Amino acid sequence: MNAVITGIAGYVPDKVLTNKDLEKLVDTNDEWIKSRTGIETRHILEKGKGTSFMGGKAVEELLSKTNTKAEEIDLIICATVTPDHVFPSTANIIGDLVGAKNAWSFDINAACSGFLYALATGSQFIESGKYKKVIIVGADKMSSIVDYTDRTTCVIFGDGAGAVMLEPTEDKTIGIKDSILYSDGAGKKHLYQKSGGSVSPASEETVKNREHFVYQEGQPVFKAAVTAMADVSAEIMEKNNLKAEDVSWLVPHQANLRIIDATARRMGLSTEKVMINIQKYGNTTAGTLPLCLADWETQLKKGDNIILSTFGGGFTWGAMYLTWGYSS
Ligand code: COA
């Protein structure tokens, strides 16, 4: 059996935070943000609502679009670094929200590579013949861990979610064909949240020192991302004998337009084949890949060869090669 994506849905909150809005919060400007990152706006979820709210909205739409009853779902995997709570998992909460009474569920934490890790994991349950309907969610409320007094990080991130349905097919020409995944824990020091975990639980001190926010050293992360994302994308093409003309679409993680451009160049792809929506949403961490697929769904045709490619905190990175299974 191949695992094939049979539906896709995305959700972003209504509230928009523009570069001009950020100019009022920190010492930055629209021109710097656009030229260094490609971002113009990002969406922000209101206080009091968590990641499961956005993931739940995406899954509700997915169920409706695919004419699926919630009870038919076997498994829900949610990729996120901004869970509603440390426990239970956000996937559990989403399952309850949508009424997926027969599903079991768990979260995956691989930062910006979370959706790809989750898709690779979920596809195994389909390929083995164990399950018929698996939902993969990528969702993050980055505004809950972004320091809006730190100009080096607050301009980058936004909130959003996406979800896909994975089902089995005997048609070997479509579906997930290959994935290459990596991680390197030595990258932790450049991109992480210092406190709030078991090493440094929340205290008056950690709050005072602003340690519950994203800590990022932009330059080393940028250098590692440019190399790793381009390398792994070229590697999966080579491994599967794919030339640039065989690839219909690149779906890259949306962290920085310059990283996306470098990856596309390395793959020999022209800009029209690259899904880019970073200007609208910023970096929604686990949300970027499914939000791209959702935005481009109407342009996707059965038989399109797609490469998904990511890099994120951990470090974590990887690429997936799949052939799209339906035309809308
Ligand atoms: N507005 C204006 N100036 C800013 C700024 C902002 N929002 N943020 C940083 N700067 C300043 C810096 O302070 C620095 O000033 P200095 O030269 O006086 O010290 C200057 O701009 C250049 O900073 P630098 O960090 O070298 O910028 P950069 O070109 O590397 O861009 C990032 C910064 C964060 C956009 C970039 O490093 C990046 O995208 N990193 C990787 C992000 C990523 O992939 N994250 C994770 C994967 S999920």
Side-chain angles (χ1 to χ4, degrees):
M1 286 291 174
N2 268 10
V4 66
I5 293 176
T6 53
I8 169 91
Y11 175 84
V12 289
D14 293 336
K15 188 182 166 195
V16 172
L17 184 70
T18 65
N19 291 348
K20 287 279 172 210
D21 294 330
L22 285 165
E23 286 179 10
K24 293 177 203 142
L25 298 177
V26 288
D27 178 15
T28 190
N29 58 78
D30 178 54
E31 170 51 30
W32 190 96
I33 302 172
K34 276 202 295 223
S35 64
R36 304 310 291 164
T37 71
I39 302 166
E40 294 168 23
T41 58
R42 63 292 286 142
H43 290 246
I44 304 292
L45 185 63
E46 66 200 74
K47 285 208 172 80
K49 286 185 173 150
T51 296
S52 69
F53 175 83
M54 298 186 293
K57 288 276 185 203
V59 173
E60 273 168 12
E61 192 194 334
L62 180 68
L63 293 174
S64 145
K65 279 172 82 173
T66 55
N67 286 318
T68 308
K69 290 195 191 70
E71 298 79 23
E72 293 175 71
I73 304 305
D74 299 304
L75 168 64
I76 300 174
I77 308 176
C78 178
T80 187
V81 290
T82 51
D84 284 19
H85 303 280
V86 172
F87 69 91
S89 75
T90 300
N92 274 39
I93 301 169
I94 292 172
D96 182 46
L97 279 174
V98 304
K101 291 185 173 48
N102 299 313
W104 65 291
S105 48
F106 62 91
D107 286 359
I108 280 186
N109 176 340
C112 297
S113 306
F115 182 79
L116 198 66
Y117 272 42
L119 200 54
T121 305
S123 67
Q124 305 300 308
F125 290 96
I126 299 282
E127 286 165 21
S128 69
K130 177 106 177 152
Y131 295 135
K132 297 272 187 296
K133 289 183 193 293
V134 173
I135 289 182
I136 311 296
V137 183
D140 270 300
K141 184 186 179 185
M142 293 307 291
S143 63
S144 66
I145 56 165
V146 161
D147 183 351
Y148 287 95
T149 65
D150 173 9
R151 70 175 182 173
T152 68
T153 51
C154 74
V155 302
I156 299 173
F157 294 101
D159 302 339
V164 299
M165 181 78 74
L166 277 180
E167 294 186 71
T169 176
E170 281 173 15
D171 182 351
K172 289 283 184 190
T173 64
I174 56 171
I176 294 173
K177 305 228 169 117
D178 195 15
S179 60
I180 302 175
L181 300 163
Y182 292 108
S183 62
D184 178 5
K188 180 201 112 174
K189 60 181 181 288
H190 301 301
L191 178 54
Y192 72 119
Q193 185 178 312
K194 289 184 175 172
S195 290
S198 54
V199 167
S200 174
S203 69
E204 217 177 309
E205 193 71 5
T206 62
V207 172
K208 202 174 78 204
N209 293 337
R210 311 187 77 76
E211 290 177 5
H212 295 271
F213 296 117
V214 172
Y215 169 82
Q216 174 170 269
E217 294 162 5
Q219 292 237 346
V221 176
F222 184 88
K223 279 185 198 146
V226 163
T227 311
M229 238 173 89
D231 281 357
V232 76
S233 305
E235 186 184 348
I236 203 159
M237 284 175 72
E238 213 166 293
K239 191 173 159 212
N240 292 281
N241 294 317
L242 293 169
K243 306 250 171 317
E245 58 268 28
D246 303 322
V247 176
S248 317
W249 298 101
L250 167 65
V251 191
H253 173 53
Q254 314 278 309
N256 188 311
L257 191 55
R258 291 180 288 148
I259 299 173
I260 297 172
D261 287 345
T263 303
R265 260 199 314 277
R266 177 75 181 279
M267 296 168 75
L269 297 185
S270 54
T271 328
E272 313 87 72
K273 288 186 172 184
V274 187
M275 296 187 190
I276 299 172
N277 56 17
I278 190 172
Q279 70 282 4
K280 290 196 288 183
Y281 307 136
N283 182 353
T284 56
T285 303
T288 63
L289 299 187
L291 277 172
C292 277
L293 290 172
D295 279 0
W296 265 262
E297 185 186 22
T298 55
Q299 293 182 56
L300 296 175
K301 294 186 299 298
K302 186 174 181 185
D304 279 355
N305 286 327
I306 298 180
I307 304 284
L308 299 116
S309 180
T310 64
F311 182 88
F315 293 141
T316 55
W317 68 104
M320 181 178 276
Y321 160 41
L322 60 83
T323 303
W324 198 247
Y326 63 95
S327 305
S328 319

